[in-house]
Amino acid sequence: MIFILAITGLCVGVISGFFGVGGGMLLIPVLLTLGFGIKQAIAMSVVQMVFSSIFGSYTNYKKGNLQINEGIWVGVGGVVGAVIGSFFTDILPSNVLEYIFLALVIFAFIRVATSKKPNSTQEEGSFSKITLFIIGVIIGTIAMMLGVGGSVMLTPVLIGFLHFPSKKAATAGLFFVVFSSVTGLIYKLAAGTFDNLNLDITYALTLGIASVVGVVLGIKLKDIVHDNRHKQFLLIMYLVIIALIVNKIFFQG
């Protein structure tokens, strides 16, 4: 199992760096397929996201691709939302979480697929701090409920509503994951979630460490791909995730 999880972490890390996602939106369906329960999969994905988002955002910053300004306020809101979402994760039934997850990925696919041409005149600081904070709270809450980093919602919002280029939105999305995932991990450790689930922490650490290697490769790939092509790959990823979760809900029970 350790070897399988290491390969999984590496692949998810590549996807995380390339698409700017925490990795949970793909990792959770894979872990469900491997036989883990939904709440175990969520806990493991949070650990993986901490590794990939921090290292990936640092790499993007060093390359000059990450503009922090507005992202800070969305991130602070995400911290508040992550605490709220972690609480709901512990009380909502597993089947409800699965249906919410499916609906969220379908929403993401539709928003990206119907997005307009990127807005090249988008100015930094054009949104109020309160608005950005509220967006962060909402996204952070849902993100931690589902064990995803939040970019599954933030990236479609940036592309579909604010008309960000795909790669710029991906970089911002991964930065948001830092705030939500770290807060979610702290909450779960304090609440003894890993002990309550009888989950071997070695599994989660294996995923996280392997994803660090993968995220570097993913960012390198992202930097050399044209933005339009990047958007097409993003849509393909959403379709794969939809197929995996539909298979889990309707065919594997």
Side-chain angles (χ1 to χ4, degrees):
M1 179 62 73
I2 292 294
F3 177 76
I4 295 176
L5 291 175
I7 297 299
T8 300
L10 178 66
C11 294
V12 170
V14 172
I15 293 170
S16 179
F18 186 78
F19 295 111
V21 297
M25 60 185 300
L26 180 64
L27 179 59
I28 288 176
V30 172
L31 292 176
L32 292 175
T33 302
L34 290 175
F36 292 95
I38 181 65
K39 294 189 177 183
Q40 287 182 319
I42 288 174
M44 292 171 67
S45 72
V46 169
V47 176
Q48 180 273 321
M49 286 187 292
V50 169
F51 279 83
S52 63
S53 64
I54 290 177
F55 197 83
S57 292
Y58 174 76
T59 302
N60 280 323
Y61 179 77
K62 293 293 288 184
K63 288 176 172 287
N65 296 328
L66 175 61
Q67 297 178 346
I68 296 178
N69 300 332
E70 293 180 347
I72 288 292
W73 292 101
V74 181
V76 171
V79 170
V80 176
V83 174
I84 298 172
S86 294
F87 171 75
F88 281 108
T89 299
D90 295 332
I91 64 175
L92 287 177
S94 296
N95 63 325
V96 173
L97 292 174
E98 289 177 345
Y99 279 105
I100 293 175
F101 185 50
L102 176 60
L104 189 58
V105 179
I106 292 174
F107 162 81
F109 176 82
I110 293 173
R111 285 312 309 170
V112 174
T114 59
S115 64
K116 298 179 181 179
K117 183 178 180 180
N119 185 358
S120 59
T121 61
Q122 174 71 38
E123 296 181 359
E124 295 293 331
S126 59
F127 304 99
S128 73
K129 295 175 181 178
I130 296 297
T131 299
L132 294 170
F133 177 79
I134 292 174
I135 290 174
V137 171
I138 295 172
I139 293 177
T141 299
I142 298 176
M144 281 302 103
M145 282 174 56
L146 304 176
V148 297
S151 58
V152 64
M153 283 192 66
L154 182 59
T155 298
V157 167
L158 294 178
I159 297 175
F161 293 104
L162 304 182
H163 313 308
F164 273 49
S166 177
K167 292 198 291 185
K168 180 179 178 181
T171 299
L174 188 60
F175 182 56
F176 175 81
V177 175
V178 174
F179 294 86
S180 58
S181 62
V182 169
T183 304
L185 178 61
I186 292 173
Y187 177 89
K188 290 182 182 299
L189 289 174
T193 299
F194 289 93
D195 293 333
N196 295 336
L197 294 175
N198 295 318
L199 181 63
D200 189 344
I201 191 63
T202 303
Y203 289 166
L205 290 177
T206 298
L207 285 169
I209 294 172
S211 72
V212 168
V213 179
V215 76
V216 175
L217 298 176
I219 290 174
K220 288 182 180 295
L221 290 174
K222 182 193 68 175
D223 290 343
I224 63 176
V225 172
H226 189 275
D227 200 80
N228 288 335
R229 183 67 66 182
H230 184 266
K231 178 180 174 180
Q232 293 172 357
F233 284 131
L234 186 63
L235 289 172
I236 292 173
M237 181 188 67
Y238 285 141
L239 286 176
V240 170
I241 294 169
I242 290 172
L244 287 172
I245 198 66
V246 165
N247 178 66
K248 165 60 181 174
I249 293 175
F250 298 104
F251 298 101
Q252 292 185 354

